[in-house]
Amino acid sequence: MTNYKKVCLFIPAALAVACAAQAQNIDKLHISEIKAGKDGSRFNVSMNISPRDYKLSLNREIEIIPVIWSADSTKSVQLPSVMIAGKNMYYYGLRNDRPGAPNSLYRAGKGETVSYAHSIEYEPWMETSTLGFQQRELGCCGSPQGEREMIPVARIDYRPRKYEPSYVFARPKASGDKIVEIEGQAYIDFPVNRTEIYPDYRKNPTELLKIIKSIDEVKNNPDIKVRQISLKGFASPEGPYNNNVRLAKGRTQSLKDYVSRQYDFPSSTYTTAYEPEDWEGLRDSLEVSVLPSRKELLGLISENIEPDRKDALMKQRFPADYAYILKYIYPALRHTNYKITYSVRKYTDVEEIKRVMATRPQDLSLEEFYILAQSYPAGSPEFDEVFDIAVRMFPKDEAANLNAANAAMAAGEFARAEKYLSRAGQSAEAYYARGIYGALTENWDESFANLEKAKNGGMTQAEEAIDSIKAAREAKSPVSWIKQ
């Protein structure tokens, strides 16, 4: 499907004459209301011809042939011709069944204006071509009188046209200390009703190693300083609440003691917290479950009743579902959330930033991502990749989303751009980017409305964009008249 709608161009008779003033006999072509345009896979040409305005002697004719020829003149196609004939030649043509008579043979000086319309298959070479008319006079018995004259009327140019925007990328504000957090969950196994950690018990070697490896990754990096290690233990709701308080608190303390023995961090580095019964985790698990009584269970755990009573009612009212919860959901609620907070030194060297982005992109600030992006040609794959990684590291940051939207638009990835623009905020730069998006997706009302907001917000680029978009829209007509 073409990106251009059918375009109809109209030339009154007087203008048709003026457009081909160099042709000696153009004043004999009494043609008006010429229309030309591509419609799907067809190219249509139509016009009105006024035979009565032709003054020809009895034995003379004028043949008019619409022609489309390529820009390099190597290809052409002729449309059916029209004959305007003097009295004798007109009747001669009718009596002798000349091809096309009477539908393309008309008597000079007589009759009403006739309509001509013809459609041909659009071919690739017509993308840049010329529409015009060949005309020649014929004498008695159809003998040619002189050479055919070619009268160009319109240039055809269906090459893709689009607004070429100027993108404005937001430079992030310089940040202070670069503080980064690593978060994870570990499922430490404890013997029933006990709080002591046994490192070799069940899956503990693997789960403890998850925490240790996370700490080691930052501790052994000379660019990083560990600021805080936070641990929060969770217990499941079964059993007496007071005992769950003891278990959650004691098990969290045991994990902190185990981790602290592995390192020489100051004791102030560690913080602990605990959740005696993870009802929020239970709610989340039930939301995505397919248990028969899922809705009733969710309603029950939302009630404002004391925890032990709530757990007992679940077991009493929904015994089958409770057995499933006890076996498959409660074990996953017994876990420890850990968070490692650390600071990273600033990077100013582009090669250093490249290295860090390839290995630990979470250690870069938005400002450092921006510095790296500026080292690449705008629109290059490397340029786009930097902003794509930056928005993944900072998914809620408005500047990161704005820059990722601009990069996506430049790459023609409008679905991604739309997603990022929804999180780009309400700055003048964000409205400007939405205006560009509207123009590229041909949502003109949205485009101009957002660009006006950007202009009112002080962006001079917005006014230039409005003018450029209007000019591009006006230049979209793929058929233009040739003026002399």
Side-chain angles (χ1 to χ4, degrees), residues 284-355:
D284 292 342
S285 297
L286 288 175
E287 287 281 5
V288 298
S289 75
V290 292
L291 291 175
S293 303
R294 181 179 67 89
K295 290 185 179 179
E296 292 82 355
L297 284 163
L298 285 168
L300 176 57
I301 66 175
S302 298
E303 291 184 22
N304 186 23
I305 55 180
E306 58 94 16
D308 287 349
R309 174 66 176 159
K310 195 179 296 186
D311 186 61
L313 288 173
M314 289 171 56
K315 184 176 182 180
Q316 175 187 337
R317 294 178 183 175
F318 314 104
D321 287 353
Y322 188 83
Y324 178 91
I325 291 170
L326 196 63
K327 184 175 182 180
Y328 295 105
I329 295 181
Y330 276 172
L333 302 183
R334 304 171 198 134
H335 64 279
T336 301
N337 288 352
Y338 61 90
K339 179 168 65 177
I340 303 157
T341 304
Y342 60 93
S343 58
V344 188
R345 75 173 179 87
K346 292 185 178 181
Y347 302 103
T348 56
D349 180 75
V350 168
E351 294 304 317
E352 262 195 329
I353 298 174
K354 286 182 185 178
R355 173 182 58 80

Side-chain angles (χ1 to χ4, degrees), residues 203-243:
K203 296 181 180 179
N204 285 352
T206 300
E207 295 302 306
L208 290 170
L209 185 60
K210 281 165 51 174
I211 302 175
I212 299 304
K213 285 184 66 176
S214 296
I215 297 173
D216 286 347
E217 281 183 15
V218 295
K219 178 183 179 296
N220 298 328
N221 189 327
D223 296 343
I224 289 174
K225 181 179 180 181
V226 175
R227 300 283 186 174
Q228 192 172 75
I229 298 173
S230 302
L231 302 169
K232 184 175 182 179
F234 293 80
S236 55
E238 84 276 16
Y241 183 82
N242 289 337
N243 190 51

Side-chain angles (χ1 to χ4, degrees), residues 29 134 157 238 247 259 261 271 332 405 436 467:
L29 285 178
Q134 288 182 352
D157 188 351
E238 84 276 16
L247 292 175
V259 173
R261 289 194 296 269
T271 64
I436 299 303
D467 292 341

Side-chain angles (χ1 to χ4, degrees), residues 162-169 379 384 401-421 424 429-441 446:
K162 64 179 182 178
Y163 162 61
E164 297 291 346
S166 174
Y167 297 101
V168 177
F169 291 84
D384 295 347
N401 279 282
L402 175 58
N403 289 339
N406 283 328
M409 284 191 288
E413 298 178 9
F414 298 121
R416 286 179 56 229
E418 183 178 24
K419 178 184 71 173
Y420 295 138
L421 286 172
E429 291 79 6
Y431 283 120
Y432 175 83
R434 293 187 185 106
I436 299 303
Y437 174 83
L440 293 175
T441 56
E446 175 187 303

Side-chain angles (χ1 to χ4, degrees), residues 245-292:
V245 171
R246 179 185 68 85
L247 292 175
K249 184 177 180 180
R251 289 171 176 177
T252 304
Q253 183 63 40
S254 293
L255 181 58
K256 177 216 166 186
D257 293 341
Y258 174 83
V259 173
S260 63
R261 289 194 296 269
Q262 316 303 314
Y263 303 99
D264 58 357
F265 297 129
S267 59
S268 59
T269 304
Y270 300 93
T271 64
T272 60
Y274 61 91
E275 188 74 38
E277 295 184 356
D278 189 8
W279 289 98
E280 192 64 35
L282 176 59
R283 179 182 291 105
D284 292 342
S285 297
L286 288 175
E287 287 281 5
V288 298
S289 75
V290 292
L291 291 175

Side-chain angles (χ1 to χ4, degrees), residues 191-208:
V192 176
N193 217 28
R194 303 294 294 272
T195 61
E196 302 91 345
I197 282 185
Y198 295 92
D200 296 327
Y201 185 64
R202 294 185 176 177
K203 296 181 180 179
N204 285 352
T206 300
E207 295 302 306
L208 290 170

